[in-house]
Amino acid sequence: MAEGRIVKALSGFYYVKSGEEIYQCRGRGVFRKQKITPLVGDFVTFESTNLDEGFITDIKPRKNELIRPPIANIDQAIIVTSVVLPDFSPLLLDRFLVLIESKDIEPIIFISKMDALSETMIEKIDYYRKVYEKIGYPVELYSVKDNMNMEPLSRYLANNVSVIAGQSGVGKSSLLNKLKPSLVLETGEVSESLGRGKHTTRHVELVEINNGLVADTPGFSSLDFDNIQLEELGNCFPEIAMHSTSCKFRGCNHIKEPKCAVKQAVEAGDIASSRYDHYLRFYEEIQTRKPRY
């Protein structure tokens, strides 16, 4: 019996790294009966007679997991968003942040394609960088094309399990190729007419970069809030969670309640109005979603 971590899942096989070796394993039938699916990132116990014929016998408890992409035990999520093509969208960035916060994963914001930054966009990007840094999120601006600020980016990866998230076309694969050229990940150019990149990443795999493990994933194929409850939403906005402790009423939703410390903080400029607007928008979305049976 040996122990290791699943670093890749492909066509029903799980590739388990134990020491310096990688073992090709299948899951035991018992997992199917229990409706447990081994995930990339899982710590497992397995038995094997050689590198090609192993069986996973046990999956250790997970500290967190994502369904799309299917991966477990993540330390941080690097959200890649671009200046243009596709255009920088604070609303979309906040959707990613809320989803990641809801999973107890540390978010980091990378803003790509800084070489394409126009005069008119400089103020906007600078404003939002300050908004997110004030909340406590690390924000890094970079350009793969101009090799700008690439070295600091790789430092985030050291000794961490990271997932790279972001909409298609923002440059997730280009970033990983730059940080580890031997990967040669296929990059999808952005379709000018649709403003969307082609989905190029086919399976989930943890690759070693700068003494850390990184999953290049197909972004989040779903950005809905199906698993977030109304009362949890405020906790997914750290600045709202912080100010909510001063609200007059327990269970304040920060919408129409009197003496709401969150609304006061928005008026005082301590919470960015864009973030509060997005909170209201997501609140309404969760409130009006159809129940699932």
Side-chain angles (χ1 to χ4, degrees), residues 174-225:
S174 302
L175 169 65
L176 292 179
N177 282 339
K178 189 75 173 178
L179 295 176
K180 187 171 184 176
S182 61
L183 285 176
V184 199
L185 294 169
E186 190 185 338
T187 57
E189 68 275 16
V190 176
S191 150
E192 289 279 355
S193 57
L194 294 173
R196 289 201 301 260
K198 297 172 184 172
H199 278 291
T200 48
T201 315
R202 302 282 185 273
H203 64 277
V204 181
E205 180 173 358
L206 286 173
V207 293
E208 286 189 30
I209 303 179
N210 197 28
N211 295 322
L213 291 170
V214 183
D216 181 32
T217 77
F220 281 51
S221 54
S222 170
L223 283 173
D224 54 40
F225 297 137

Side-chain angles (χ1 to χ4, degrees), residues 76 78 108 110 140 149-160 162 179 209-212:
Q76 59 187 19
I78 294 167
I108 295 161
F110 281 11
E140 295 289 344
N149 206 29
M150 296 308 297
E151 204 174 304
L153 302 193
S154 68
R155 283 189 220 128
Y156 283 96
L157 306 180
N159 307 313
N160 282 313
S162 310
L179 295 176
I209 303 179
N210 197 28
N211 295 322

Side-chain angles (χ1 to χ4, degrees), residues 3-286:
E3 293 189 354
R5 171 183 233 142
I6 298 176
V7 292
K8 178 173 153 186
L10 188 63
S11 307
F13 287 104
Y14 302 98
Y15 296 83
V16 180
K17 185 165 191 201
S18 181
E20 292 303 305
E21 301 288 0
I22 291 179
Y23 297 82
Q24 180 177 284
C25 298
R26 286 197 179 278
R28 281 267 189 238
V30 67
F31 295 132
R32 273 194 300 281
K33 287 189 193 124
Q34 296 168 347
K35 296 196 169 145
I36 297 171
T37 304
L39 295 177
V40 169
D42 271 335
F43 291 102
V44 298
T45 306
F46 68 100
E47 50 191 40
S48 140
T49 48
N50 57 53
L51 291 177
D52 298 324
E53 294 175 48
F55 282 96
I56 293 170
T57 54
D58 189 33
I59 299 170
K60 303 290 167 64
R62 298 165 179 155
K63 72 173 179 181
N64 54 38
E65 66 181 270
L66 293 173
I67 298 164
R68 293 184 291 258
I71 184 168
N73 301 315
I74 308 138
D75 297 318
Q76 59 187 19
I78 294 167
I79 306 167
V80 182
T81 179
S82 55
V83 173
V84 291
L85 277 176
D87 290 342
F88 180 76
S89 165
L91 178 65
L92 192 59
L93 176 53
D94 282 345
R95 287 190 86 85
F96 276 111
L97 286 167
V98 165
L99 284 164
I100 288 160
E101 288 279 6
S102 74
K103 298 289 185 184
D104 288 327
I105 299 167
E106 202 73 36
I108 295 161
I109 299 165
F110 281 11
I111 301 178
S112 68
K113 305 186 187 178
M114 287 298 288
D115 56 284
L117 191 66
S118 63
E119 287 291 325
T120 51
M121 282 291 288
I122 288 173
E123 264 181 57
K124 180 181 179 180
I125 296 296
D126 195 50
Y127 167 77
Y128 281 108
R129 178 178 60 79
K130 286 174 181 159
V131 164
Y132 290 107
E133 285 181 340
K134 185 180 173 185
I135 295 164
Y137 293 131
V139 180
E140 295 289 344
L141 315 176
Y142 75 97
S143 163
V144 167
K145 201 171 174 184
D146 290 356
N147 211 22
M148 168 194 160
N149 206 29
M150 296 308 297
E151 204 174 304
L153 302 193
S154 68
R155 283 189 220 128
Y156 283 96
L157 306 180
N159 307 313
N160 282 313
V161 177
S162 310
V163 60
I164 309 279
Q167 71 185 120
S168 295
V170 293
K172 300 186 296 292
S173 295
S174 302
L175 169 65
L176 292 179
N177 282 339
K178 189 75 173 178
L179 295 176
K180 187 171 184 176
S182 61
L183 285 176
V184 199
L185 294 169
E186 190 185 338
T187 57
E189 68 275 16
V190 176
S191 150
E192 289 279 355
S193 57
L194 294 173
R196 289 201 301 260
K198 297 172 184 172
H199 278 291
T200 48
T201 315
R202 302 282 185 273
H203 64 277
V204 181
E205 180 173 358
L206 286 173
V207 293
E208 286 189 30
I209 303 179
N210 197 28
N211 295 322
L213 291 170
V214 183
D216 181 32
T217 77
F220 281 51
S221 54
S222 170
L223 283 173
D224 54 40
F225 297 137
D226 283 358
N227 298 313
I228 300 176
Q229 302 307 313
L230 268 184
E231 56 274 16
E232 291 170 29
L233 181 63
N235 291 330
C236 299
F237 287 78
E239 70 275 44
I240 289 178
M242 184 180 82
H243 285 283
S244 68
T245 56
S246 305
C247 288
K248 184 176 181 187
F249 298 104
R250 273 186 70 184
C252 179
N253 294 317
H254 325 303
I255 296 171
K256 292 179 179 160
E257 298 86 347
K259 296 191 179 168
C260 167
V262 169
K263 285 192 290 181
Q264 288 166 2
V266 176
E267 281 161 26
D270 294 329
I271 291 176
S273 56
S274 62
R275 291 274 291 170
Y276 181 64
D277 290 346
H278 295 161
Y279 167 79
L280 295 178
R281 189 164 168 168
F282 299 159
Y283 189 94
E284 189 183 355
E285 184 180 323
I286 293 169

